Amino acid sequence: MLQLNNPSLLKKSLFINGKWLKSKITTTVTNPFDNSTISTVSLCDKKQCNDAITYAQTAFKSWREFTAKQRSNLLYKWYELILANKKDLAQIITYEQGKPLAEALGEIVYGASYIQWFAEQAKRIDGDIIPPPNSDQRIACIKQPIGVVACITPWNFPNAMLARKIAPALAAGCTVVCKPSELTPLSALALTELSRQAGIPTGVINILMGDAAMIGKQFCASKIIKKLSFTGSTAVGKLLAAQCVDTLKRITMELGGNAPFIVFEDANIDSAVEGLMASKYRNSGQTCVCTNRILVQKPIAKIFKQKLIDAVKSQLVVGFGANKDVTTGPLINQQACLKVDELVNDALKKGAQIDYQDTTREGNLYPPTVLSNVSAQMEIAQQEIFGPVAIIIEFDNEQQALEIANNTDAGLAAYFFTQDYRRIYRVSEALEYGMVGINSGIISNEMAPFGGVKQSGMGREGSKYGLDDYLEIKYICLGGINS
């Protein structure tokens, strides 16, 4: 049973205009480990969705007038409250999403780092003075908040994805209307309660759970909402982007990935295995930047595979994430398990082989698995697996590795291991991805721009670039100086 030191964090209602509102429509939040009920939460109807947008617009008129320092101070108070309650917030993630407590705690600190970062960046929204074409004019450029922002976030990082979107919006002077996943709403609501306790004004943050199609359409059709930020599947991202055309809304899309992890023959194999374990099996493989295809140069393929199997056997413990020593929790639901099964079975029919598979298989737990003899044409190499299955594809040379790695519509994250400094430059520049990790399996942090190319989306989150999509640049020309 979920027990918190701070019970006020367990909210079950919509948060609109600073008030917790119940509704007649509810949904059940379940523990993905055993499908037991954690709570019921309210779902919004169309009117409540529209009300939230209207209240956000009203709040924007005053929030945009707050000084950068005032907004910064409030964000920083929110950040401090999150860290003070991080153990409870981690418990909520483990129970509703499934990841182990240590990993959930890491997500809380990671998400909070974005709030801290943008609390600092709020004071650095600088404009420009531009030399005029003649002495009778002066030219200035200022940056102003774009307006009300809609955020739609997924279930795999229910705390961090929301923090990564709300923090830059508020730092820029925008207000937000957010829809977290109905599978993991409790994390979003707890985060929102702490924002209220931090003193962030009424109407600046609004949280809605409900029918995804209805809310998505309302967000996209609204003339009040000036920007939509979405993290999720490529298919849904395309649909939302199309729906935003009529209002020419600015959009940020962080969509699906198909990350290659390339191990060249000159790599430090032990370091490569360590990096792969961090990239592939984190959150049971349910991350958009986790390794999807492991490309290993043939001369080292045999030893690499054995070291990987040894690491999986010795390091991964499957079970309920709240239990001690568990490193690998369940997939989000039974449908997710069935999808991974389908991909694995399809690969086996086409010639792949299982070199290792954990014996634990109950409920929504999917056993960590290593497959070899996989070809780049198999379905399992073309789709996001979103499960703890490592697939090994062998290659002959650098050019072939790049061709395999780039042969996908996705372009979010890529990784490679080598000790050749010349190859580092060649390969990092040739990979068609928005983010590249070299000799590292973990690359995401608040100081770096997060985002992809091709059909993995557009825009960047985090870093000094993370405010750009929440701001308009206004050109001001003053004439008649000499008259």
Side-chain angles (χ1 to χ4, degrees):
M1 180 180 292
L2 178 60
Q3 294 182 329
L4 304 178
N5 293 319
N6 183 358
S8 72
L9 297 181
L10 188 58
K11 298 297 184 183
K12 306 175 183 181
S13 306
L14 309 169
F15 189 71
I16 300 174
N17 198 35
K19 297 178 181 178
W20 295 105
L21 302 177
K22 294 182 179 180
S23 67
K24 296 179 180 179
I25 318 167
T26 62
T27 189
T28 301
V29 182
T30 60
N31 183 336
F33 173 71
D34 57 9
N35 296 316
S36 60
T37 297
I38 303 172
S39 177
T40 57
V41 298
S42 295
L43 302 180
C44 74
D45 56 26
K46 189 173 181 179
K47 180 182 182 302
Q48 288 169 318
C49 182
N50 285 330
D51 287 347
I53 295 170
T54 300
Y55 284 125
Q57 171 71 353
T58 300
F60 172 66
K61 295 173 185 177
S62 58
W63 179 245
R64 66 181 300 175
E65 299 302 323
F66 276 55
T67 66
K69 189 172 184 179
Q70 287 174 319
R71 294 197 298 268
S72 175
N73 288 340
L74 287 168
L75 284 168
Y76 208 87
K77 286 180 183 178
W78 190 20
Y79 160 75
E80 291 176 328
L81 282 172
I82 291 168
L83 293 189
N85 290 273
K86 62 185 179 181
K87 290 184 179 179
D88 277 349
L89 296 172
Q91 285 271 1
I92 293 172
I93 289 178
T94 295
Y95 272 81
E96 72 171 347
Q97 196 274 334
K99 65 181 64 172
L101 271 175
E103 200 172 319
L105 189 60
E107 179 182 339
I108 299 304
V109 175
Y110 171 66
S113 71
Y114 282 93
I115 297 173
Q116 181 191 35
W117 172 264
F118 285 109
E120 297 161 351
Q121 292 299 109
K123 296 179 286 187
R124 301 185 178 98
I125 303 174
D126 302 323
D128 293 291
I129 300 296
I130 299 173
N134 59 68
S135 62
D136 198 41
Q137 292 180 325
R138 297 294 185 269
I139 294 175
C141 288
I142 63 172
K143 296 179 180 179
Q144 296 180 306
I146 193 169
V148 179
V149 175
C151 308
I152 301 177
T153 56
W155 50 263
N156 57 341
F157 287 89
N159 177 289
M161 295 300 97
L162 199 65
R164 200 164 75 184
K165 295 181 188 301
I166 294 178
L170 268 57
C174 301
T175 56
V176 296
V177 182
C178 306
K179 184 212 169 293
S181 169
E182 68 280 1
L183 299 175
T184 55
L186 301 178
S187 291
L189 297 174
L191 195 63
T192 305
E193 168 60 17
L194 291 176
S195 76
R196 187 192 66 79
Q197 293 179 21
I200 292 175
T202 295
V204 171
I205 298 175
N206 302 273
I207 303 292
L208 306 172
M209 292 75 64
D211 179 71
M214 180 272 289
I215 294 175
K217 285 181 179 179
Q218 294 299 106
F219 283 175
C220 295
S222 172
K223 293 182 179 180
I224 291 174
I225 291 174
K226 303 302 181 184
K227 172 182 167 62
L228 172 70
S229 181
F230 170 75
T231 297
S233 72
T234 299
V236 174
K238 288 180 178 180
L239 178 63
L240 291 171
Q243 292 176 352
C244 285
V245 169
D246 283 346
T247 55
L248 286 180
K249 216 178 298 297
R250 189 179 296 181
I251 56 176
T252 294
M253 294 283 165
E254 196 268 282
L255 309 178
N258 188 3
F261 188 104
I262 308 171
V263 186
F264 291 102
E265 60 184 341
D266 63 358
N268 181 315
I269 296 177
D270 290 333
S271 293
V273 170
E274 181 183 354
L276 179 62
M277 291 296 292
S279 173
K280 173 69 251 185
Y281 292 103
R282 184 165 56 102
N283 199 17
S284 297
Q286 299 173 113
T287 84
C288 55
V289 295
C290 78
T291 294
N292 210 58
R293 300 166 291 158
I294 307 163
L295 313 181
V296 186
Q297 202 157 10
K298 286 182 179 178
I300 62 166
K302 185 175 180 180
I303 186 172
F304 178 87
K305 181 174 72 173
Q306 188 56 55
K307 284 180 177 286
L308 174 59
I309 291 171
D310 291 344
V312 172
K313 285 181 178 179
S314 63
Q315 295 179 26
L316 300 187
V317 178
V318 182
F320 177 38
N323 293 340
K324 187 179 179 182
D325 298 328
V326 167
T327 64
T328 308
L331 299 190
I332 189 64
N333 53 32
Q334 189 61 35
Q335 289 76 18
C337 293
L338 292 174
K339 179 202 168 186
V340 177
D341 261 340
E342 288 176 3
L343 291 173
V344 170
N345 291 334
D346 178 75
L348 295 176
K349 289 177 184 178
K350 294 174 180 175
Q353 65 184 42
I354 294 179
D355 292 294
Y356 173 75
Q357 189 168 60
D358 191 275
T359 56
T360 306
R361 185 70 187 265
E362 59 179 286
N364 295 328
L365 293 172
Y366 198 93
T369 303
V370 178
L371 293 182
S372 64
N373 202 33
V374 176
S375 74
Q377 290 72 42
M378 291 180 182
E379 194 73 11
I380 201 168
Q382 296 293 317
Q383 289 192 32
E384 273 190 294
I385 300 170
F386 246 57
V389 179
I391 64 171
I392 297 176
I393 302 170
E394 298 183 17
F395 68 89
D396 292 309
N397 53 54
E398 182 180 308
Q399 187 57 39
Q400 185 186 26
L402 286 169
E403 289 174 359
I404 295 172
N406 289 334
N407 186 26
T408 173
D409 289 333
L412 189 57
Y415 310 86
F416 70 93
F417 277 69
T418 182
Q419 298 186 81
D420 184 339
Y421 75 92
R422 295 162 297 186
R423 176 174 279 148
I424 286 174
Y425 282 101
R426 290 196 305 267
V427 174
S428 61
E429 292 173 4
L431 285 167
E432 297 168 357
Y433 292 83
M435 300 177 286
V436 178
I438 305 166
N439 297 330
S440 176
I442 299 292
I443 59 175
S444 181
N445 59 75
E446 76 278 14
M447 294 167 283
F450 190 102
V453 299
K454 298 195 284 189
Q455 293 190 31
S456 283
M458 60 190 73
R460 294 296 182 269
E461 294 183 323
S463 81
K464 67 178 183 179
Y465 306 105
L467 282 171
D468 291 350
D469 282 346
Y470 297 88
L471 295 164
E472 295 283 14
I473 297 174
K474 179 178 285 185
Y475 156 49
I476 300 172
C477 179
L478 175 62
I481 297 295
N482 296 328
S483 60

